């Protein structure tokens, strides 16, 4: 009986190992430049507790490209391309652009038609600005964010028709169906805000969306006053941090300039 159990355990271990090897997909990750934001009063804009240093601060606007075998996911679509050479200033911020996603894809010998999935962390303008340049892709976006973006300047126009290829998330979304790239449902910043986990061969990476806007906001659990729910944001922070710890994941805050260096400089990819 003991020998049988030992043999069964060994067989199960071998089968599990072989299955894992067969299923492990090739995954690569690139950081794309999707603009810059100058926040005129960083403290009051991002901290409802006013715990940060006052005054202006620049943040980056990062998008990401994921290759999963022969498919490509664009995560967030940055500021509108119309801002190139024409920065837009409001009482709260200055938004500027120097290049488009399409121009950066050219450096990888890709075109917008090669993008299979566009994933959007949430519906704010600095994350949706170039989404419509990829009308042939499947759209993955939070349900509440998709609904809230409808209107005159709808960034999701290509996906409004009946039968459009759009996934309106109200929970986690396994993008490619094998657990390697998963949109994590973390509501609070917006109704159905999403982060992204990318399992690279070198280890998992967690892209924050706008759960955090800086290293400081992560350390202090800073919450912007315009978030849709303070309580949901705190719950999302708790889940995100527990995921990061349990999986020993590399956390990348998408708006944090210092976190650009956590991935290879474009056009090199993380693997």
């Amino acid at each position: 009986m003991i020998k049988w159990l030992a043999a069964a355990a060994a067989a199960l271990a071998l089968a599990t190992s072989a299955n894992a090897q067969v299923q492990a997909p090739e995954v690569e990750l690139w950081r794309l430049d999707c603009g810059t934001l100058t926040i005129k009063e960083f403290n009051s804009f991002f901290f409802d507790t006013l715990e940060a240093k006052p005054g202006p601060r620049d943040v980056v606007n990062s998008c990401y490209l994921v290759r999963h075998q022969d498919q490509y996911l664009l995560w967030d679509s940055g500021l509108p391309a119309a801002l190139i050479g024409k920065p837009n200033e409001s009482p709260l911020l200055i938004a500027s652009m120097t290049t488009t996603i399409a121009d950066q894809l050219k450096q990888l010998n890709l075109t917008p038609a090669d993008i299979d999935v566009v994933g959007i962390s949430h519906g704010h303008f600095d994350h949706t600005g170039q989404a419509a340049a990829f009308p042939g892709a499947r759209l993955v976006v939070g349900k509440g964010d998709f609904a809230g973006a409808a209107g005159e300047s709808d960034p999701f126009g290509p996906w409004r028709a009946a039968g459009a290829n759009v996934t309106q998330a109200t929970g986690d979304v396994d993008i490619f169906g094998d657990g390697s790239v998963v949109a994590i449902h973390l509501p609070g910043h917006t109704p159905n805000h999403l982060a992204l986990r990318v399992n690279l061969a070198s280890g998992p990476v967690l892209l924050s969306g706008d759960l955090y806007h800086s290293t400081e906001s992560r350390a202090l659990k800073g919450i912007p006053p315009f978030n849709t729910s303070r309580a949901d944001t705190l719950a999302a922070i708790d889940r995100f941090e527990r995921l990061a710890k349990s999986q020993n994941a590399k956390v990348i805050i998408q708006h944090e300039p210092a976190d650009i260096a956590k991935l290879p400089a474009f056009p090199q990819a993380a693997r």
Side-chain angles (χ1 to χ4, degrees):
M1 181 68 174
I2 294 175
K3 289 183 178 180
W4 181 86
L5 288 173
L12 178 60
L14 285 172
T16 301
S17 176
N19 190 48
Q21 291 178 8
V22 170
Q23 291 185 348
E26 292 182 357
V27 180
E28 294 182 299
L29 175 65
W30 292 262
R31 185 261 174 185
L32 304 177
D33 179 2
C34 286
T36 302
L37 297 168
T38 299
I39 310 300
K40 293 183 177 181
E41 183 42 67
F42 188 87
N43 186 21
S44 61
F45 194 75
F46 286 133
F47 289 79
D48 64 3
T49 52
L50 302 177
E51 293 177 274
K53 182 180 178 180
R57 192 182 305 185
D58 289 342
V59 300
V60 295
N61 210 41
S62 296
C63 304
Y64 299 87
L65 180 69
V66 178
R67 181 181 73 82
H68 175 277
Q69 305 285 60
D70 61 350
Q71 293 185 289
Y72 288 90
L73 159 71
L74 174 66
W75 179 251
D76 280 336
S77 67
L79 290 163
L83 292 177
I84 294 179
K86 299 177 181 178
N88 180 267
E89 183 169 2
S90 74
L92 298 175
L93 56 83
I94 302 171
S96 60
M97 287 270 292
T98 61
T99 185
T100 66
I101 294 171
D103 282 342
Q104 292 171 82
L105 291 179
K106 288 178 184 178
Q107 297 184 55
L108 301 173
N109 296 316
L110 298 172
T111 71
D114 293 312
I115 301 301
D116 300 281
V117 185
V118 172
I120 300 294
S121 63
H122 62 292
H124 291 164
F125 82 104
D126 54 325
H127 294 259
T128 62
Q130 297 171 68
F134 306 90
R138 168 193 174 198
L139 177 67
V140 176
V141 63
K143 182 176 181 179
D145 294 76
F146 186 72
E152 185 176 346
S153 301
D154 185 0
F156 305 132
W159 295 278
R160 294 292 178 186
N165 193 5
V166 54
T167 299
Q168 298 185 50
T170 56
D172 294 355
V173 179
D174 187 347
I175 303 292
F176 298 108
D178 59 13
S180 63
V181 183
V182 179
I184 308 296
H185 187 240
L186 298 172
H189 183 61
T190 59
N192 294 112
H193 174 273
L194 303 170
L196 189 72
R197 188 189 72 219
V198 182
N199 285 346
L200 301 174
S202 58
V205 175
L206 280 171
L207 304 176
S208 68
D210 272 13
L211 180 63
Y212 304 121
H213 294 86
S214 67
T215 302
E216 191 175 17
S217 69
R218 183 185 181 195
L220 296 173
K221 296 184 180 179
I223 298 177
F226 55 86
N227 277 21
T228 57
S229 171
R230 196 176 202 282
D232 285 351
T233 304
L234 287 171
I237 287 172
D238 178 69
R239 185 186 179 203
F240 183 90
E241 294 299 337
R242 292 172 71 174
L243 279 170
K245 182 178 180 180
S246 68
Q247 300 185 8
N248 194 28
K250 179 184 293 183
V251 172
I252 296 178
I253 299 170
Q254 295 183 210
H255 281 302
E256 172 57 68
D259 282 9
I260 292 175
K262 291 183 178 180
L263 296 177
F266 186 82
Q268 298 302 311
R271 296 179 176 86

